[in-house]
Structures are given as C-alpha cells and as structure tokens.
Amino acid sequence: MKILIGLCALLTLVVTSPIQKWQRSGDGCPYLIEHEQMFNWFQAWEECLQNNMTLLAVDSSYKHRQITLLLKELFPKNLTYWIGAHDWIRPKQFVWQSTHAAMHFSDWVAGQPNYGSDHCVRNSAAENQWYDSNCHDNYGFICENLQCSNEKNLAYEKSTVTSKYNVHFWNVLGNQKP
C-alpha cells in the first residue's frame, strides 16, 4: 500500500511539474519560452521587454533550425507562439520588431501572408510555419537575447561561407581537401 501511495505521489509530481520557461538552444543562446496560450502580441512584446529581451526574430535558417530543435526537445506537440514580426509601418511589408529590418528569411504556410487585417506573425503548432494573425489573438511567445542570437548567427554564416569556398577551391584544382 505504501508503495502504491508513493508511486501515485511521484506520478502527480511528474505530471504537474511546470515546464521551465528559461531555456538554452544548442548554440547556448538563452530564450524565454512561454507556452501558455494567453498573450496577445503586445502583451508578449511587453513581457519580453520586462526581461530585457525582444520577441524572437527568426531571421535566418540557422536560427530557425536552433529554435525548432529546442522546441522538439521540450514539447511533444508543436507550440503556437508569437514571433517578433509585423507589417504596421507599411502594409504588406513585414519587418522584425527588434531591428525594423525587412524579412529576408521567412517560413510562411502556403497562402500566407494573406494581408487582411492580420498584422502580427505567429508560428503555427500544426505546420511549424508562419501565419499573419490578428495581433489581439492569444498565443504563447518566445523572447530572445538579440545580441547572443546575432553573434551566433554571424559566426555560423562566416563558417559556412569559408567552408563553401574552401571546398570549391580544392575541387577546381582537382585535389582532395587537406
């Protein structure tokens, strides 16, 4: 009987354990991940600012891969969350809220953005891709330390370019890479 009670208590503890909001991606960058679907885009932005962070700017395939791998580790199902993009300044021209830079990387679901009255961007749980959505809808969100993300992304891009040209150089000479 005591074993049964102990197992029930342990099971209750495991099932009700909260998901840690502070996480690090594979490259070591810190993220604040709010999985509760109860924040509109503006509330999410404010929560990030209160933590000296910014809403996630998925501005490269590298960062997209880091976030996707991190979320797959944490959540059995994909998470629907706000990212830091909008088109308020110029309709139909989405920019990253943190830098005001235009999107050069995107991962829209087919048919998106639809450019209606939806001006904020969220990642969809079902497709793990982006939708433009009403900024007042409630979802989770991810905050990032922009400096860390930019440094890691820049280092990755530099190493990729260097590797790419080294391979081409050796292939042109007909030699094997040292």
Side-chain angles (χ1 to χ4, degrees):
M1 185 67 164
K2 289 181 183 181
I3 294 174
L4 182 60
I5 292 172
L7 286 174
C8 288
L10 181 62
L11 182 60
T12 303
L13 180 63
V14 169
V15 170
T16 60
S17 294
I19 295 174
Q20 294 297 316
K21 292 182 182 186
W22 288 97
Q23 299 290 333
R24 289 196 178 272
S25 60
D27 63 5
C29 285
Y31 293 95
L32 173 63
I33 302 172
E34 176 55 70
H35 71 281
E36 295 291 331
Q37 308 287 292
M38 54 189 252
F39 296 87
N40 68 42
W41 194 93
F42 305 101
Q43 292 167 328
W45 182 28
E46 186 174 323
E47 290 288 323
C48 292
L49 291 175
Q50 288 178 2
N51 285 284
N52 294 320
M53 299 177 96
T54 184
L55 273 172
L56 178 66
V58 188
D59 52 5
S60 69
S61 60
Y62 172 78
K63 192 184 295 184
H64 186 266
R65 194 168 32 259
Q66 290 296 314
I67 293 298
T68 300
L69 291 172
L70 177 61
L71 292 178
K72 281 183 180 182
E73 288 178 22
L74 298 173
F75 301 99
K77 299 188 308 186
N78 288 332
L79 175 68
T80 298
Y81 57 90
W82 289 116
I83 61 176
H86 61 79
D87 73 340
W88 305 320
I89 298 169
R90 289 193 179 142
K92 301 183 182 182
Q93 293 183 0
F94 284 89
V95 297
W96 295 110
Q97 163 266 327
S98 57
T99 62
H100 301 290
M103 282 186 176
H104 296 294
F105 172 83
S106 64
D107 192 21
W108 296 106
V109 168
Q112 292 289 318
N114 63 15
Y115 302 119
S117 60
D118 303 333
H119 298 288
C120 295
V121 182
R122 68 174 170 91
N123 187 77
S124 165
E127 298 90 356
N128 195 26
Q129 290 182 296
W130 305 349
Y131 281 86
D132 61 336
S133 293
N134 185 312
C135 301
H136 297 286
D137 291 345
N138 289 341
Y139 301 108
F141 61 86
I142 299 179
C143 304
E144 69 177 329
N145 175 326
L146 195 58
Q147 181 179 354
C148 181
S149 290
N150 286 342
E151 288 171 2
K152 301 293 184 179
N153 193 31
L154 185 59
Y156 173 79
E157 288 175 1
K158 283 182 179 178
S159 70
T160 302
V161 169
T162 303
S163 299
K164 175 180 155 185
Y165 286 109
N166 284 343
V167 169
H168 289 303
F169 175 73
W170 285 103
N171 287 343
V172 168
L173 292 176
N175 298 323
Q176 293 182 1
K177 191 173 178 183

